[in-house]
Amino acid sequence: MAFRGQSSKGRQYKDPEELFRDLKQKTSPGLISHQSEMIRRYVEKHQQTTDVAFQLPTGSGKTLVGLLIGEWRRVKNDERVLYLCPTNQLVRQVVDQAKTTYGISALEFTGSQHNYSSADTLTWESCEQVGVTSYSALFNTNPYFSDADVLILDDAHACEGPIASLWTVDLYRKSAGDREDTSKAFLAVASILRPLLSRDDLAKLEGTATNYEGWVDMVPLTSLHSSLGLVQKTLDRELTAKKTRFSWSLVRDHLEACALYYSHTRIEIRPLIPPTSTHEAFTNPKQRIYMSATLGTGGDLERITGRRKITRIPAPDGWDKQGIGQRLLVFPERSFPEEQTKSFIDECATRYNRVLYLAPNDYVCESVADHFRDELAVRTFSARQIEDSKTAFTESSNAAAVVSNRYDGIDFPGTDCRLVIFDGLPRGAGLQEQFIAQRMGARTVFEDRGLTRIVQGLGRCTRSSTDFSVVILIGDELVRRFARPDFRRLLHPELQAEIEFGLSESTDRDSTEELHENIQFFLDQTAEWNQAREQILDIRDEREQVKIDYHDELMKAVSKEITFQELMWSGQFLDAATTARQVFSLITHRKLQGYRSLWKYLQGTAHWLASHHKQTPSRDLEPARQCFSDALRANPGIRWLTGLASEKSQPELDSEIEATAIICRLEAVLDRLKTTHNREFDKFVDEIRDGLAEPDNPKRFERAHADLGTLLGYDAGNSDADGAPDPWWLVDSTLGFVFEDYTNTKTKPTLSVRKARQAESHPKWIKAELQVVLDDAKIVPILLTKSTCVKEEAMKFIPSLRYWEFSDFIDWANRAIDTVRSLRDEYPQAGDSLWRQSAVEAYRRDAISPHELDAKLSRLAKDAMTAV
């Protein structure tokens, strides 16, 4: 007769190490010293801690630490333990590892809940085995596992998406790939927004503006509030996509506690921080254990999970210097232009068997996959195809896994894949993060998150001490980031050394074959590579990782931030306003200026809602207006704050607002022209200067004049239409400059009546032909000329025409270009509030900003020219 067996639950092991010694089916020889140390810290101090996080580097055995603590609690306390992974593939990997390596029986729960084994469910509910499932199985509107006692969140940083998505309604203009079709709902909500937006913003939403790509904004709640009921009715009717409708069911009655973000392609409705306190499957367990290689120090894990305090158990001694595995980092753009870099990437995709391509967004992902498949005959795999099983990919040759915004949850250890192509600086896929980082100038608050994505992306193919992989890094922002010593110091010393070595070895190469030769040395682990590896270790030993200086403030503020969101969710708006003020008072660092602006806006919104719902003694809106004024002063780049602020127009503030508008546009220009090398920037500048040097060639001069405006951050254009002006430089729908380039004066030195009338009428043409410009906009007509004479009969036609003498314009243009070049040298990335402030000061000083340029060009043509 076979052994019937008895459950081991209830046996009183004093600690997980004692339990591990009793697991006779394990093939693992035993716990490593650092694993034992982390477990002992937990047992001694944190058994009753509701939220505790382990920082264990990749390859350090954190899976065993988590499983063993979970199994110990199950056996000792009769607790239901649920181990969460980012993907189903990792669920299977953890279950297999638990059984075959550690001797721990674990239950796999993947796929549809309807297909879960009832026997397995009963076994888990009876506390007889640890259950292993994905984040999405817990974070949904009807979680299957609603009564766990302990949750263990592996790769905890990866829970950001699944948690946020539960309270996020994403509407897309067009369906694509596996994404749900929400196009009807998008168009319906967009129609509600139209009357609420400025003409500039409406043009960007509809895609008729010249600079709408990559742009995102938020509709202030005070403007949207009267339409919230219509939004509810519209989405109740038009939203049919199943998953999105589930999220809608959670937020529809809490729209006052959410924000609405929009771009040309997408609308996103969500709260600032996920209200996880309302999700009992996550909050009811006695303990949540988070495990990650990168926990951060600025409260980002708390913001992601909506938990006020997560106690951290730091990495053990020794891991602060030594990394996991070996990496050769290659930066082809340090030596080669764009086309040659693309050819190099193609060669890598076809030469090195299997490749993991990390794309920054869906558009790049789809275009790269199409190119690899159709033009290079490389077999491609999507994230969805490899999430359930990697086997088809790892058993293929000449294959590429091409994934978008997936820097974690997909592992390729050993020989699975030896080459990663890391394309572009990792950013959050959501509009909220883009808005806060870029528009609010608060990118610093996402520094932890950005570092985590970079570290996780670099480590996709180095999962243990014996792994080694090549990582090819492309994309101007990403390479520029790695080239900055101040950024590298935030990273692990060994990673700093790998980056420094990679940058040095990738610079001033004559041919891509030199890079291929180094890659082959590395993949073959030759003597040449071993010597290079020693150099990396020498650099590593000289480096130290530094802490971000403002993270203490962010960590102190995070519990108040979560309290604010919970108060907003429950409709306690006056208390929420008080809490927002407390957050603002805690974040004082100058690098948090953009984040301070956000919290002043949120405080003002809470005050406004408290007044609207009669939660204040009087319905006085002045406290809200004052908060919006403070928010505007902290961040003049948010133009819609001017309509909410209490004070009337002030010249100094107006000047800063106008300057910030073109500085934000300048950031996009610098990103497009790239800053890791000078090739494209210098080419564009040379074309401008060469064109301006030919005033007798009207077409070339006008094109250069328009390009100068673009370089400076104006929305510049030109038209060949009959009667059209020469270049125009717009700030927004309310302000701009329009030029008459009367520079070819060899044969006609005197301004004619026809030219005078034409120049004076240019503002009318701008308002009539450019839909974005308002009828009451201030459009300043400017005559750019060498001429000093005008026909006497023409004087009456130029009452407001400004005069800009040609040589003065050329001098000003050269100084302006030099100013941009200097700012470019210091440019970190879009959304840096300190750089923006510095740029605004430089623009105002050098009369490049709209207000100062308008003042510089105050001289009228009728006063500057002689009538003849």
Side-chain angles (χ1 to χ4, degrees), residues 51 276 282-283 288 290 302 305-310 562:
D51 293 88
T276 55
F282 184 60
T283 58
R288 285 154 295 279
Y290 310 85
E302 285 82 353
T305 59
R307 302 297 297 171
R308 286 188 179 83
K309 180 177 176 56
I310 299 175
I562 293 167

Side-chain angles (χ1 to χ4, degrees), residues 240-476:
T240 57
K242 185 176 180 181
K243 290 183 180 178
T244 309
R245 194 166 181 84
F246 286 149
S247 298
W248 171 241
S249 69
L250 294 182
V251 303
R252 78 172 303 281
D253 296 327
H254 300 274
L255 293 180
E256 291 178 318
C258 295
L260 187 150
Y261 307 94
Y262 64 101
S263 69
H264 172 60
T265 59
R266 184 176 175 187
I267 292 172
E268 179 178 292
I269 303 171
R270 60 161 294 176
L272 178 69
I273 295 171
T276 55
S277 61
T278 64
H279 194 57
E280 294 181 354
F282 184 60
T283 58
N284 282 354
K286 302 172 186 176
Q287 186 173 62
R288 285 154 295 279
I289 299 172
Y290 310 85
M291 298 190 301
S292 178
T294 47
L295 292 175
T297 57
D300 200 51
L301 185 61
E302 285 82 353
R303 291 182 186 87
I304 287 171
T305 59
R307 302 297 297 171
R308 286 188 179 83
K309 180 177 176 56
I310 299 175
T311 302
R312 287 158 170 76
I313 302 178
D317 295 339
W319 291 97
D320 57 339
K321 279 287 188 183
Q322 295 174 309
I324 294 294
Q326 303 174 58
R327 285 178 294 239
L328 173 64
L329 273 56
V330 181
F331 300 85
E333 290 167 316
R334 296 282 286 187
S335 290
F336 307 109
E338 185 175 358
E339 287 306 313
Q340 205 167 349
T341 296
K342 287 181 179 178
S343 297
F344 173 70
I345 296 299
D346 288 352
E347 292 164 6
C348 291
T350 55
R351 187 182 290 199
Y352 299 115
N353 205 8
R354 286 182 294 278
V355 173
L356 171 63
Y357 196 108
L358 300 177
N361 53 56
D362 291 341
Y363 174 77
V364 173
C365 183
E366 291 171 12
S367 62
V368 167
D370 290 344
H371 173 67
F372 280 4
R373 182 181 58 252
D374 300 338
E375 298 181 40
L376 303 182
V378 173
R379 185 180 180 189
T380 60
F381 293 82
S382 67
R384 183 177 288 272
Q385 287 174 301
I386 57 179
E387 275 178 352
D388 285 335
S389 174
K390 302 180 299 180
T391 304
F393 171 70
T394 57
E395 292 182 352
S396 298
S397 58
N398 197 30
V402 186
V403 300
S404 170
N405 249 308
R406 290 298 302 272
Y407 304 102
D408 45 42
I410 302 176
D411 299 344
F412 295 100
T415 60
D416 281 0
C417 183
R418 297 281 195 202
L419 191 140
V420 180
I421 299 173
F422 201 136
D423 183 355
L425 187 67
R427 287 203 176 92
L431 294 186
Q432 175 173 276
E433 182 175 334
Q434 293 177 44
F435 171 79
I436 294 174
Q438 296 175 33
R439 299 280 285 121
M440 293 301 302
R443 186 174 298 282
T444 47
V445 79
F446 297 108
E447 193 76 70
D448 260 350
R449 209 171 296 186
L451 289 169
T452 295
R453 290 168 184 151
I454 287 173
V455 171
Q456 292 297 323
L458 292 172
R460 286 305 88 206
C461 297
T462 44
R463 312 306 296 169
S464 73
S465 59
T466 59
D467 287 340
F468 55 93
S469 74
V470 178
V471 184
I472 299 170
L473 299 111
I474 57 175
D476 182 70

Side-chain angles (χ1 to χ4, degrees), residues 582-595:
Q582 293 170 344
V583 173
F584 180 81
S585 68
L586 290 170
I587 48 175
T588 61
H589 198 284
R590 63 192 186 95
K591 291 184 179 179
L592 298 176
Q593 183 80 343
Y595 203 45

Side-chain angles (χ1 to χ4, degrees), residues 308 558-568 576 579:
R308 286 188 179 83
V558 70
S559 64
K560 296 292 185 184
E561 295 177 30
I562 293 167
T563 298
F564 166 83
Q565 184 62 70
E566 291 176 352
L567 289 168
M568 291 289 287
T579 306

Side-chain angles (χ1 to χ4, degrees), residues 60-200:
S60 61
K62 60 182 171 63
T63 302
L64 173 56
V65 172
L67 282 170
L68 193 53
I69 289 175
E71 179 71 355
W72 178 62
R73 292 195 64 127
R74 180 193 70 79
V75 171
K76 176 175 175 286
N77 301 332
D78 272 358
E79 291 177 331
R80 286 179 290 276
V81 178
L82 194 63
Y83 190 108
L84 301 174
C85 300
T87 66
N88 286 336
Q89 182 268 320
L90 287 178
V91 170
R92 297 187 184 99
Q93 179 178 305
V94 167
V95 169
D96 180 68
Q97 203 172 10
K99 293 177 180 178
T100 61
T101 306
Y102 307 137
I104 297 173
S105 294
L107 299 164
E108 172 194 327
F109 293 95
T110 57
S112 172
Q113 296 180 5
H114 299 295
N115 297 327
Y116 288 174
S117 163
S118 56
D120 285 350
T121 300
L122 181 59
T123 299
W124 179 78
E125 289 179 342
S126 303
C127 308
E128 295 177 13
Q129 289 187 42
V130 171
V132 185
T133 191
S134 64
Y135 283 119
S136 58
L138 185 80
F139 292 104
N140 60 69
T141 53
N142 185 29
Y144 189 82
F145 303 97
S146 58
D147 56 353
D149 295 305
V150 177
L151 296 176
I152 301 173
L153 291 81
D154 199 0
D155 285 334
H157 51 271
C159 70
E160 172 198 353
I163 293 179
S165 65
L166 185 55
W167 291 276
T168 300
V169 176
D170 266 324
L171 311 175
Y172 291 88
R173 182 179 291 273
K174 295 180 180 178
S175 60
D178 299 324
R179 194 166 64 207
E180 291 184 314
D181 185 0
T182 55
S183 56
K184 285 183 64 178
F186 173 94
L187 293 173
V189 174
S191 68
I192 297 173
L193 301 184
R194 285 191 181 94
L196 308 178
L197 304 180
S198 70
R199 191 173 295 190
D200 287 301

Side-chain angles (χ1 to χ4, degrees), residues 7 75 227 317 341 394-395 444 496 617 671 720 776 784 805 859:
S7 170
V75 171
S227 301
D317 295 339
T341 296
T394 57
E395 292 182 352
T444 47
Q496 291 185 47
D671 286 340
D720 294 328
D776 60 351
L784 175 58
E805 196 274 325
R859 193 180 184 193

